[in-house]
Amino acid sequence: MEFKIEQSVLKEELGFLQGVLERKETIPILSNILCESIGENTVRMTGTDLDVTIRCDVEAIIEQPGKVCLPGRKLFDIVRSLNEGEIKIRKESSGDWVEVTAGRGRFRLAGYPSGDFPEIPVFKSAPHSLPASVFAYLIQSTSFAVTTEVSRFALSGAKMIYNGEKVTMVSTDGHRLALIEKNLDEKECETFEALIPRKALNELYKASRYSTSPFTFGEDHNHLYFQASNKLMIARKLTGAFPNYEMVLPKDVEKKVSFDLQEMRKAVHRVSLIPTEINRPVRMTIREGEIEVKSHGTDVGEGVEIVPADYSGEETVIGFNSRYLLEYFNSVVSFESADAAENEAVKATDSGGSAAVPAKIGGTSTRILLEFSQPNTPTQMRIDADTGYDYRYVVMPLRI
């Protein structure tokens, strides 16, 4: 096989494929990318870890058709270090060695027999469709609440329900729940309902965050299929029964308090630096006109911040895991329309990687509405504005 391709194009696609390449040497072939010629001007690149598969079709000049397996991470490191321009990749006539030529540089890499690459599931139909920006917002608003406990298999992904009239995505780790719904204009009888694994969510978010093409998706008995533009992602389905999340949602709340998102986010972040416990607990004392955010660390000290709030009623004290609060605050996107939200997205820096954007909706500061009945009952938070989405976050309080 031999083909020529632009450095910028190859770098972009290789970077996208890195998320599914095997980091360990357990199955060496899974650290490779399968490149194969499709027609006269397309190279198909595929990477897989057997649970999630990504396939990208890119424009190239095919000088000799065929297929070859290339070490994905090593090739990516080389390509991104090169200057812009044309790159030539040629498989040698004997063995599985591959020559990469760019400008005056030449690299020789050890490949793998293409016949050893795992068989990829045949792509089925994708009858459903969503704008990429909606997909990105659904995932950003729920993926942080997916459990990281391996034993809780049915919770290690987000549940998605789509029927054309409405799309819902929900996730939980047993201590908190994130739910987002959006009404749609399309009419469709067939329902799509599936558990999307955590890793697939991460890769879908990367693909949809800046995409201008709509996402089509479908399923068969064992796999989920998502496609946008030149990219296809195949994910193995999660099995197990997702809990009845509607039972967790508070039905009748007795008390409501509204506060500024940014002020509370910064206050919780600063105060949470004091505790030494793993869950970094904070105590909120809600009283008329304000919320006192306080934390205490044994033999360390304490931190207190006052956040103005709209509240009238009896004083109430509620304890929270500060990480649960910060991850939610950083997931709340601020946008004037859902389609424009993801173009402004930036990485959060204070909660372990949740995506966030400046907290403004329609040019004003975003306010969060906290709803509860008693200090020891589930507490619900949502954006106190019309965003076009019904986004709710339910978290169990701590006993402090």
Side-chain angles (χ1 to χ4, degrees):
M1 182 182 188
E2 184 175 339
F3 64 93
K4 295 178 181 179
I5 188 170
E6 287 297 317
Q7 183 266 353
S8 58
V9 174
L10 184 57
K11 181 178 71 171
E12 179 181 347
E13 303 304 333
L14 287 175
F16 184 70
L17 287 164
Q18 297 304 301
V20 296
L21 296 184
E22 179 64 54
R23 288 179 168 81
K24 301 177 182 178
E25 294 298 324
T26 309
I27 308 178
I29 190 66
L30 298 184
S31 64
N32 284 255
I33 291 172
L34 176 65
C35 295
E36 52 187 330
S37 57
I38 305 294
E40 297 181 353
N41 59 359
T42 302
V43 168
R44 174 167 292 170
M45 298 191 293
T46 306
T48 183
D49 64 0
L50 301 183
D51 289 322
V52 178
T53 299
I54 296 177
R55 192 185 79 189
C56 305
D57 291 346
V58 295
E59 186 176 350
I61 300 174
I62 309 297
E63 297 190 340
Q64 183 176 341
K67 59 178 64 177
V68 62
C69 274
L70 298 165
R73 297 189 186 279
K74 184 63 66 177
L75 180 62
F76 179 55
D77 289 340
I78 292 172
V79 170
R80 65 180 175 177
S81 70
L82 296 172
N83 296 327
E84 290 190 5
E86 190 176 74
I87 296 176
K88 182 176 181 179
I89 296 178
R90 181 180 66 87
K91 181 183 177 183
E92 296 182 358
S93 57
S94 60
D96 294 297
W97 288 89
V98 178
E99 182 181 81
V100 180
T101 306
R104 290 176 290 182
R106 185 174 66 87
F107 305 86
R108 192 165 178 261
L109 301 176
Y112 267 80
S114 57
D116 293 349
F117 198 82
E119 184 177 353
I120 304 304
V122 177
F123 174 53
K124 302 297 182 180
S125 63
H128 316 293
S129 177
L130 275 178
S133 59
V134 174
F135 234 121
Y137 192 37
L138 295 177
I139 296 171
Q140 177 176 306
S141 302
T142 56
S143 60
F144 67 93
V146 174
T147 187
T148 56
E149 297 181 30
V150 179
S151 59
R152 310 190 74 175
F153 194 68
L155 302 184
S156 58
K159 184 172 185 176
M160 180 178 175
I161 305 171
Y162 171 92
N163 61 11
E165 297 182 357
K166 183 172 71 173
V167 60
T168 302
M169 189 170 284
V170 57
S171 64
T172 181
D173 62 5
H175 304 287
R176 35 74 180 273
L177 178 145
L179 168 71
I180 184 167
E181 295 179 317
K182 181 175 178 60
N183 292 325
L184 305 171
D185 297 331
E186 299 179 18
K187 302 296 181 182
E188 187 170 316
C189 296
E190 185 179 355
T191 298
F192 175 91
E193 184 171 338
L195 290 175
I196 306 176
R198 168 191 281 274
K199 188 167 188 177
L201 289 172
N202 294 337
E203 299 306 317
L204 277 172
Y205 181 71
K206 289 194 298 183
S208 61
R209 190 175 177 187
Y210 299 114
S211 175
T212 57
S213 302
F215 262 74
T216 56
F217 53 99
E219 62 180 324
D220 61 20
H221 185 68
N222 296 313
H223 298 92
L224 305 173
Y225 301 87
F226 302 88
Q227 188 171 30
S229 186
N230 68 322
K231 294 179 174 62
L232 168 69
M233 195 189 80
I234 305 171
R236 184 178 295 174
K237 279 185 176 180
L238 287 176
T239 57
F242 196 82
N244 185 354
Y245 61 89
E246 293 182 348
M247 296 291 291
V248 180
L249 301 175
K251 301 300 187 294
D252 299 311
V253 293
E254 300 175 2
K255 303 172 184 178
K256 298 182 179 182
V257 55
S258 175
F259 53 81
D260 182 83
L261 167 66
Q262 290 287 33
E263 289 186 356
M264 181 61 75
R265 186 178 72 89
K266 293 175 182 178
V268 171
H269 171 65
R270 289 191 289 260
V271 169
S272 68
L273 299 175
I274 297 295
T276 56
E277 295 93 331
I278 295 177
N279 59 9
R280 294 187 178 273
V282 296
R283 184 178 66 184
M284 288 187 178
T285 302
I286 303 171
R287 57 176 72 101
E288 188 168 345
E290 66 179 28
I291 300 176
E292 179 189 88
V293 185
K294 185 175 182 179
S295 66
H296 175 79
T298 305
D299 300 327
V300 176
E302 66 178 24
V304 180
E305 293 249 4
I306 302 296
V307 177
D310 294 333
Y311 175 74
S312 59
E314 63 180 15
E315 183 174 299
T316 303
V317 179
I318 309 178
F320 291 105
N321 181 324
S322 62
R323 180 172 65 86
Y324 291 169
L325 296 179
L326 289 173
E327 288 184 339
Y328 167 68
F329 293 152
N330 285 306
S331 76
V332 177
V333 270
S334 168
F335 57 97
E336 293 186 9
S337 70
D339 292 336
E342 293 306 318
N343 293 330
E344 302 175 337
V346 296
K347 271 292 193 182
T349 58
D350 56 4
S351 69
S354 297
V357 298
K360 295 181 188 266
I361 294 177
T364 61
S365 297
T366 298
R367 297 190 68 80
I368 299 297
L369 189 63
L370 187 150
E371 303 170 316
F372 62 98
S373 294
Q374 300 297 327
N376 59 347
T377 58
T379 300
Q380 177 172 276
M381 283 178 270
R382 55 190 176 90
I383 301 173
D384 193 8
D386 182 10
T387 65
Y389 293 82
D390 181 9
Y391 181 23
R392 287 176 278 175
Y393 182 62
V394 181
V395 58
M396 289 298 299
L398 293 176
R399 294 184 180 273
I400 298 182

